[in-house]
Amino acid sequence: MEVVVCIPNAKHKKDILGFLRGDFTLIRDCDLNGFKNKSNKQIILFCPDAEDILPAGIDEYHNLILVQDGVFQSITEEIHYFPEFEGIKIGINSLPGSFTSPILEMSIADIYDEQEAVKEILQNLIAKPIRWVADGPGMVSPRIICMLINEAYYTWMEGTADPASIDLGMKLGTNYPKGPFEWLDLWGIDKVVKIIEAVYQYTGDPRYKCCPLLKKQAWAYLANRN
């Protein structure tokens, strides 16, 4: 079977092509009409940003694997809201730094019967190990790191330590590569708050309530950006 790859967002193209391997056809203009529902063609569409604009008409492609953001919303929830999509949706952690890490973090909804076949197709295409995690907002790494950021904000808000001291303590005390506020700077405060609130809404667990200071600063950031 021929594997056909499409990456509409140019800003991700270099990073994504950097971890692909084997024989595949790259469709540079993302015109997929000639490949629609061909039994000998497997289309893999990489749209890892939540804001990515999908090519028109792809809902009707049942030979399509759509690799999209899996951090801010569960794939199962999205399938519920968009039942007309005939292909298979895969979640990926596409936060800054994730594509250059030694592994890729991906998820697949439990409702698909073709889970193992899809995993095999993607692992044959992707040159680095894939960590398959349960479908749900936050996935694993983003969820844990965002909780560290949230707790760091509580620590700062309560006057226990300032951001620089918290970062230094986490790196020296736990050997983390970055401190919580360094992760915040890398990912963006708006994205961090969005993840925390998505996990809280999904789980209903009060552990995931966003720190008031963190939320206040995120609002200020968004207000200044607009």
Side-chain angles (χ1 to χ4, degrees), residues 153-154 156-158 189 210-218:
Y153 259 88
Y154 275 114
W156 181 24
M157 186 177 71
E158 293 163 2
I189 191 169
C210 190
C211 174
L213 179 59
L214 174 55
K215 187 179 292 188
K216 181 180 179 181
Q217 289 193 351

Coordinates of all heavy atoms in Angstrom, one line a residue, residues 153-154 156-158 189 210-218:
Y153 N 3.0 28.1 40.7 CA 2.3 29.4 40.9 C 1.7 29.5 42.3 O 1.8 30.6 42.9 CB 1.3 29.6 39.8 CG 1.7 30.4 38.7 CD1 2.4 29.9 37.6 CD2 1.5 31.8 38.7 CE1 2.8 30.7 36.5 CE2 1.9 32.6 37.7 CZ 2.5 32.1 36.6 OH 3.0 32.9 35.5
Y154 N 1.2 28.5 42.8 CA 0.7 28.5 44.2 C 1.8 28.8 45.2 O 1.7 29.6 46.1 CB 0.0 27.2 44.6 CG -1.4 27.1 44.2 CD1 -1.8 26.2 43.2 CD2 -2.4 27.9 44.8 CE1 -3.2 26.1 42.9 CE2 -3.7 27.8 44.4 CZ -4.1 26.9 43.4 OH -5.4 26.8 43.1
W156 N 4.6 30.4 44.5 CA 4.9 31.9 44.3 C 3.9 32.8 45.0 O 4.2 33.7 45.7 CB 5.1 32.1 42.9 CG 5.5 33.5 42.5 CD1 6.1 34.4 43.3 CD2 5.2 34.2 41.2 NE1 6.3 35.6 42.6 CE2 5.8 35.5 41.3 CE3 4.6 33.8 40.1 CZ2 5.7 36.4 40.3 CZ3 4.5 34.7 39.0 CH2 5.1 36.0 39.1
M157 N 2.6 32.5 44.7 CA 1.5 33.3 45.2 C 1.5 33.3 46.8 O 1.2 34.4 47.4 CB 0.2 32.8 44.7 CG -1.0 33.6 45.1 SD -2.6 33.0 44.4 CE -2.8 31.5 45.4
E158 N 1.9 32.2 47.4 CA 1.9 32.2 48.8 C 3.2 32.8 49.5 O 3.3 32.8 50.7 CB 1.7 30.7 49.3 CG 0.4 30.1 48.9 CD 0.3 28.6 49.0 OE1 1.4 28.0 49.3 OE2 -0.7 28.0 48.6
I189 N 1.8 30.9 28.3 CA 1.0 30.9 29.5 C -0.5 30.6 29.0 O -1.2 29.9 29.8 CB 1.1 32.2 30.2 CG1 0.4 32.1 31.6 CG2 0.5 33.4 29.4 CD1 0.6 33.2 32.5
C210 N -7.2 25.7 38.3 CA -6.1 26.6 37.9 C -5.8 27.6 39.1 O -6.7 28.2 39.6 CB -6.4 27.3 36.6 SG -5.0 28.2 35.9
C211 N -4.5 27.8 39.4 CA -4.1 28.8 40.4 C -4.7 30.2 40.0 O -4.5 30.6 38.8 CB -2.6 28.8 40.5 SG -2.0 30.1 41.6
P212 N -5.3 31.0 40.9 CA -5.8 32.3 40.5 C -4.7 33.2 39.9 O -5.0 34.0 39.0 CB -6.3 32.8 41.8 CG -6.7 31.6 42.6 CD -5.6 30.6 42.3
L213 N -3.5 33.2 40.4 CA -2.5 34.0 39.9 C -2.1 33.7 38.5 O -1.9 34.5 37.6 CB -1.2 34.0 40.8 CG 0.0 34.8 40.4 CD1 -0.4 36.3 40.3 CD2 1.1 34.6 41.4
L214 N -2.0 32.4 38.2 CA -1.7 31.9 36.9 C -2.8 32.3 35.9 O -2.5 32.8 34.8 CB -1.6 30.4 36.9 CG -1.4 29.7 35.5 CD1 -0.2 30.2 34.8 CD2 -1.2 28.2 35.8
K215 N -4.1 32.2 36.3 CA -5.2 32.6 35.4 C -5.2 34.1 35.2 O -5.4 34.5 34.1 CB -6.5 32.1 36.1 CG -7.7 32.3 35.2 CD -9.0 31.8 35.8 CE -9.0 30.3 36.0 NZ -10.3 29.8 36.4
K216 N -4.9 34.8 36.2 CA -4.9 36.3 36.1 C -3.8 36.7 35.1 O -4.1 37.6 34.3 CB -4.7 36.9 37.5 CG -4.6 38.4 37.5 CD -4.4 39.0 38.9 CE -4.3 40.5 39.0 NZ -4.1 41.0 40.3
Q217 N -2.6 36.1 35.2 CA -1.6 36.5 34.3 C -1.9 36.1 32.9 O -1.5 36.8 31.9 CB -0.2 35.9 34.8 CG 0.3 36.6 36.1 CD 1.7 36.2 36.3 OE1 2.3 35.3 35.7 NE2 2.3 36.9 37.3
A218 N -2.6 35.0 32.7 CA -2.9 34.5 31.4 C -3.9 35.5 30.8 O -3.8 35.8 29.6 CB -3.5 33.1 31.4

